[in-house]
């Protein structure tokens, strides 16, 4: 039976019509990693430094994959994507107003998910001006169909000085649980560092990949020093990383770290850095979601294994 065939006819018709009441790599790593569920075969979690809460280390990005409506055949796969995420122990779902319909789609699907979803909802504010920011964030609450957002991030640092006081006020009120900033280009690293040094933040979302390692020098050590959780966006780089690795044999030691694909290895490379809290590969494909989630299980990489992967990616 396919992923979508597991859904009742009533649920699929509801989706199709769009009218549902729709939902270092060091010793420190061992002290911050636990399991997402009971048992020895559970996704690992890491503590959010600003709290005592643990977060599963593989989540889901909604860029592109969730920017579809009920009339699109791709929409019918998305309930199974969420099922794979939750079944494997993941919870973080990251979206943004700049991702087209992604917030609305996420809200629709979570509202009909059975049983009640354990989602850790993250989204962003991406506009200028206080009133404009408030209006956009209120819309995110509406689209996501929630009264509380777990993580609100200032996207690409756009007008961050204006939005940060609102985020702090809403956090104090309990409307949002954590606040953070995001970026995805090395040209912004200097500003990112300045904000991290000047402001107490819960999260940083930043680009980090096997072939995009600029954050290792200063950003990740600074986050560890400041007690800021790190979410890795663009964990497969600009898109060419997996294509370059696809024709190469997997290293002989992959069974030692319980992975069996290049995608899992690329994600586990990032997760083997002790400053990293969670990776959020984006997908609208249930099979890819299941494969990605496996990176959250088993031992992390050793220094030697990381260096070998760097060489393979460069070659």
């Amino acid at each position: 039976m396919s992923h979508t065939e597991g859904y009742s006819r009533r649920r699929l018709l509801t989706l199709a019509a769009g009218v549902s009441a729709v939902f270092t790599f060091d010793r420190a790593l061992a002290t911050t990693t636990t399991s997402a569920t009971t048992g020895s075969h559970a996704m690992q979690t890491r503590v959010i430094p600003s709290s005592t809460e643990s977060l599963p280390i593989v989540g889901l990005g909604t860029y592109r994959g969730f920017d579809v409506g009920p009339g699109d055949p791709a929409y019918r796969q998305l309930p199974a994507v969420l099922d794979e995420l939750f079944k494997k122990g993941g919870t973080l779902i990251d979206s943004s107003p700049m991702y087209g319909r992604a917030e609305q789609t996420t809200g629709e699907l979570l509202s009909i998910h059975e049983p009640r979803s354990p989602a850790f909802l993250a989204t962003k504010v991406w506009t200028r001006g206080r009133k404009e920011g408030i209006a956009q964030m209120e819309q995110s609450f509406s689209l996501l169909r929630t009264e509380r957002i777990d993580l609100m991030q200032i996207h690409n640092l756009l007008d961050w000085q204006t939005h940060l006081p609102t985020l702090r006020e809403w956090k104090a009120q309990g409307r949002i649980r954590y606040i953070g900033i995001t970026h995805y280009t090395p040209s912004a690293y200097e500003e990112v560092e300045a904000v991290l040094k000047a402001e107490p933040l819960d999260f940083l979302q930043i680009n980090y990949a096997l072939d995009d390692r600029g954050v290792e020098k200063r950003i990740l050590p600074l986050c560890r020093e400041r007690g800021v959780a790190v979410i890795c966006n663009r964990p497969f780089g600009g898109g060419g990383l997996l294509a370059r690795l696809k024709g190469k044999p997997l290293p002989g030691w992959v069974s030692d770290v319980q992975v069996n694909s290049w995608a899992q290895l690329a994600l586990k490379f990032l997760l083997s850095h002790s400053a990293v809290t969670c990776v959020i590969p984006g997908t609208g494909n249930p099979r890819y979601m299941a494969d990605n989630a496996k990176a959250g299980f088993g031992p992390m990489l050793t220094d030697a294994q990381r260096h070998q992967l760097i060489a393979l990616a460069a070659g």
Side-chain angles (χ1 to χ4, degrees):
M1 179 180 289
S2 71
H3 290 285
T4 55
E5 287 170 349
Y7 288 86
S8 68
R9 178 175 176 80
R10 176 185 62 79
R11 293 184 69 194
L12 289 176
L13 288 175
T14 297
L15 292 175
V19 295
S20 87
V22 250
F23 149 170
T24 30
F25 47 94
D26 56 18
R27 294 177 183 173
L29 196 60
T31 66
T32 59
T33 301
T34 57
S35 294
T37 60
T38 58
S40 59
H41 301 290
M43 182 183 288
Q44 296 179 35
T45 67
R46 292 192 182 147
V47 173
I48 299 169
S50 65
S51 73
T52 59
E53 182 178 3
S54 293
L55 188 67
I57 62 178
V58 179
L60 170 65
T62 60
Y63 178 58
R64 292 185 179 173
F66 279 59
D67 183 17
V68 291
D72 192 317
Y75 191 97
R76 296 178 59 133
Q77 293 197 90
L78 298 181
V81 172
L82 295 180
D83 278 351
E84 289 294 345
L85 172 70
F86 299 144
K87 183 170 65 176
K88 296 295 192 301
T91 60
L92 196 155
I93 302 173
D94 179 76
S95 196
S96 171
M98 75 174 291
Y99 297 169
R101 200 182 185 277
E103 285 184 317
Q104 183 175 351
T105 297
T106 299
E108 289 169 356
L109 298 178
L110 288 177
S111 73
I112 63 168
H113 191 272
E114 300 170 1
R116 184 181 178 91
S117 85
F120 182 103
L121 282 175
T123 192
K124 308 172 183 79
V125 55
W126 186 60
T127 188
R128 292 189 182 277
R130 181 177 182 277
K131 291 183 178 179
E132 292 79 2
I134 290 174
Q136 187 180 77
M137 289 188 288
E138 293 286 8
Q139 184 179 39
S140 292
F141 277 91
S142 177
L143 293 174
L144 290 168
R145 306 191 180 210
T146 184
E147 295 182 355
R148 187 177 69 176
I149 289 174
D150 295 288
L151 170 60
M152 183 66 75
Q153 303 155 101
I154 302 172
H155 200 40
N156 295 346
L157 291 174
L158 183 63
D159 205 9
W160 69 268
Q161 298 97 328
T162 298
H163 299 312
L164 194 55
T166 303
L167 267 60
R168 295 206 187 285
E169 179 182 347
W170 286 13
K171 182 180 179 182
Q173 294 171 355
R175 297 197 68 194
I176 57 180
R177 300 176 57 226
Y178 297 100
I179 61 178
I181 58 174
T182 82
H183 223 290
Y184 68 101
T185 60
S187 61
Y189 287 175
E190 186 174 346
E191 185 179 7
V192 168
E193 287 184 45
V195 177
L196 287 171
K197 291 176 180 177
E199 301 288 346
L201 298 168
D202 301 305
F203 280 84
L204 169 69
Q205 184 180 141
I206 199 76
N207 56 300
Y208 184 30
L210 181 54
D211 62 348
D212 181 12
R213 297 169 37 245
V215 294
E216 288 181 343
K217 185 175 181 180
R218 297 173 60 170
I219 297 288
L220 294 185
L222 180 59
C223 286
R224 192 161 46 205
E225 174 187 328
R226 298 281 292 171
V228 177
V230 176
I231 299 172
C232 299
N233 62 41
R234 303 186 69 180
F236 299 133
L241 174 64
L242 294 183
R244 292 196 305 274
L245 293 172
K246 185 177 180 180
K248 298 181 179 180
L250 291 167
W253 42 261
V254 291
S255 61
D256 296 338
V257 294
Q258 298 180 23
V259 300
N260 55 22
S261 74
W262 278 114
Q264 293 168 29
L265 269 183
L267 295 174
K268 185 157 281 195
F269 173 87
L270 308 180
L271 292 167
S272 296
H273 196 297
S274 63
V276 171
T277 308
C278 184
V279 296
I280 51 168
T283 186
N285 185 310
R287 182 167 59 87
Y288 292 161
M289 183 67 255
D291 188 69
N292 292 337
K294 291 177 183 177
F297 296 76
M300 293 295 131
L301 307 186
T302 65
D303 290 3
Q305 290 166 343
R306 282 176 54 97
H307 290 313
Q308 184 179 352
L309 287 186
I310 291 170
L312 286 170

